[in-house]
Amino acid sequence: MEKLNLLRILKKAELEIQNSNSLSDLNIIKSKFIGKKSYLFRIISSLNILSKDNKIIVGKKVNFIKKNIKKLLDKRKKTLSRLEINKKIHTEDIDISLPGCRKGIGTIHPINSIIHRVKKYFFNLGFSIVYGPEIEDEYYNFDALNIPKNHPSRNKKDTFWINEKKLLRTQTSCVQIRILEKTKPPIRIISPGCVYRKDFDKTHSPMFHQIEGIVIDKNVSFSNLKHILFKFFDYFFIEEFKIRMRPSYFPFTKISAEIDILDKNKKWIEVIGCGMIHRKVFKNVQIDNNLYSGFAFGIGIERLTMLFYNIDDLRILFKNNVRFLRQFK
Ligand code: DAH
């Protein structure tokens, strides 16, 4: 009974394979005879209810039939593929005299180019490059950085809140906490990325870029900070710019400073906030402030870009005006 059935299946499959006219027909035939819903598959699945001897006999026969069907399918597939290619060659025309379509190659956006330039300097000094999330917890963006609960930067007028606890980060300084929480000193990292504030005019955009930097080790001093950042400007600018460092205030550094650059219109432009990491920040990330000291800095990328390329309205950087962008090869 089994034998008859199986041979009949093979014959039937052979006939259908011979008569098939396309690769898609052939796929249907394949699943019909050896696919998961086929008669053969059902026999294979029920083999374990047979006695050991019968199992071997029926198993062999089924395998034989399956193998032969597969062979027939493969052979027919080759023939049909060849036929389909030939048909294509004869029916589809290619007009080789048509002009090609040129794919324009884009240019690197000036912001990315500046980020790259900054990264290169710090990378060569042995800094690692890390990234943090743009949707941030209130804790990382404010609390852990020692920013008081009533600080104006926390209010809805200045910050994009997503809910009670989450916001679009207003500064890359939050990466300090994320990294320090899980890394043991010595630490030397920079972290580039987008930050968000509700500001929009010639010199402010609601989305802009910063690069945060942190160095923590034994005996790190303010003069190390000053040296690294002043050398950075020597490297960064091709033209001569006047630089000044002046005292400032940030809740997460003590002492704090800012670095300004004198632009073409004789106006001082603030480009970096920096300072020695506050002992409260060290406490929040459980690093021993008696053993280690460190400095941090935040570089404003748009400001550097404007100075570097002599741009006076920052909004042009985000307009995607191709004629403007093409200038930056
Ligand atoms: N996060 C500050 C800002 O957005 C910039 C800054 C100041 C970063 C001092 C620092 C720092 O790491 O030490 O204005």
Side-chain angles (χ1 to χ4, degrees):
M1 173 75 180
E2 204 57 70
K3 187 174 172 187
L4 246 178
N5 261 344
L6 288 174
L7 281 179
R8 256 210 341 251
I9 288 173
L10 180 58
K11 279 266 161 269
K12 205 161 169 240
E14 192 174 358
L15 198 71
E16 287 195 26
I17 290 169
Q18 269 320 314
N19 290 336
S20 65
N21 282 324
S22 70
L23 291 173
S24 60
D25 281 358
L26 208 58
N27 271 336
I28 296 170
I29 297 170
K30 185 177 173 185
S31 58
K32 178 171 163 190
F33 287 98
I34 57 175
K36 286 248 157 77
K37 286 187 181 151
S38 66
Y39 180 62
L40 276 192
F41 191 82
R42 253 182 291 139
I43 298 181
I44 295 171
S45 323
S46 57
L47 277 182
N48 44 5
I49 56 168
L50 298 180
S51 69
K52 201 176 165 201
D53 289 347
N54 269 343
K55 206 191 287 184
I56 295 173
I57 298 169
V58 178
K60 267 190 181 164
K61 277 184 204 153
V62 174
N63 270 339
F64 171 80
I65 302 291
K66 200 172 154 187
K67 234 164 102 189
N68 274 295
I69 294 180
K70 262 195 180 151
K71 251 196 221 162
L72 292 167
L73 281 165
D74 285 347
K75 204 170 149 209
R76 186 71 187 151
K77 190 172 171 183
K78 272 192 195 142
T79 317
L80 286 175
S81 306
R82 225 178 306 124
L83 285 174
E84 280 188 14
I85 289 173
N86 277 342
K87 197 171 142 202
K88 259 194 178 165
I89 292 173
H90 286 110
T91 54
E92 285 175 15
D93 281 341
I94 298 173
D95 181 353
I96 55 167
S97 66
L98 275 176
C101 49
R102 190 181 291 275
K103 291 226 166 75
I105 298 175
T107 55
I108 295 180
H109 192 281
I111 295 278
N112 279 339
S113 192
I114 294 297
I115 292 178
H116 194 76
R117 200 171 165 86
V118 179
K119 267 163 67 175
K120 202 164 149 196
Y121 170 79
F122 288 101
F123 188 76
N124 285 339
L125 287 180
F127 282 65
S128 312
I129 296 159
V130 298
Y131 297 90
E134 288 175 25
I135 295 178
E136 192 46 288
D137 295 344
E138 181 181 25
Y139 174 75
Y140 290 103
N141 198 88
F142 295 122
D143 302 340
L145 286 165
N146 193 34
I147 297 176
K149 284 276 179 226
N150 60 355
H151 195 277
S153 65
R154 292 197 188 223
N155 70 35
K156 290 203 169 72
K157 224 173 84 245
D158 295 322
T159 298
F160 292 99
W161 286 90
I162 288 170
N163 58 33
E164 293 281 291
K165 293 261 159 246
K166 295 216 179 277
L167 58 139
L168 292 181
R169 65 177 179 188
T170 62
Q171 50 183 349
T172 44
S173 298
C174 26
V175 185
Q176 288 188 26
I177 307 298
R178 290 199 171 264
I179 293 298
L180 302 188
E181 265 182 350
K182 54 180 191 210
T183 320
K184 287 211 162 64
I187 294 167
R188 219 182 293 176
I189 58 129
I190 54 163
S191 181
C194 299
V195 296
Y196 303 84
R197 288 181 204 171
K198 290 186 179 172
D199 269 333
F200 193 50
D201 59 38
K202 253 176 102 165
T203 52
H204 296 90
S205 144
M207 185 281 298
F208 59 105
H209 299 78
Q210 289 184 334
I211 295 189
E212 192 72 15
I214 316 166
V215 172
I216 297 179
D217 206 338
K218 289 174 182 155
N219 303 319
V220 172
S221 68
F222 191 82
S223 42
N224 298 143
L225 161 70
K226 189 171 173 189
H227 177 78
I228 283 195
L229 294 181
F230 274 55
K231 281 278 164 210
F232 164 73
F233 288 113
D234 280 351
Y235 148 90
F236 185 83
F237 286 116
I238 301 159
E239 300 163 64
E240 282 272 319
F241 277 103
K242 255 201 170 144
I243 300 171
R244 75 174 181 197
M245 187 179 223
R246 62 183 161 82
S248 185
Y249 171 79
F250 296 103
F252 36 93
T253 46
K254 194 175 179 183
I255 47 181
S256 309
E258 275 172 285
I259 300 179
D260 305 327
I261 291 183
L262 194 63
D263 75 0
K264 294 261 150 45
N265 308 321
K266 300 272 171 271
K267 229 180 103 194
W268 288 102
I269 309 285
E270 175 214 322
V271 283
I272 294 187
C274 57
M276 299 305 290
I277 297 175
H278 200 290
R279 65 183 163 75
K280 285 196 181 152
V281 173
F282 274 115
K283 193 168 159 237
N284 290 341
V285 294
Q286 283 161 16
I287 292 180
D288 184 355
N289 194 198
N290 294 320
L291 198 55
Y292 295 103
S293 55
F295 60 76
F297 54 89
I299 307 179
I301 294 302
E302 275 69 9
R303 298 273 170 89
L304 276 191
T305 311
M306 289 169 78
L307 286 162
F308 191 84
Y309 291 116
N310 202 7
I311 295 169
D312 59 6
D313 187 341
L314 146 156
R315 290 169 291 198
I316 184 93
L317 290 168
F318 303 114
K319 279 200 173 139
N320 285 336
N321 176 337
V322 176
R323 280 179 56 215
F324 168 75
L325 294 173
R326 277 221 186 99
Q327 301 174 85
F328 304 94
K329 291 279 175 210

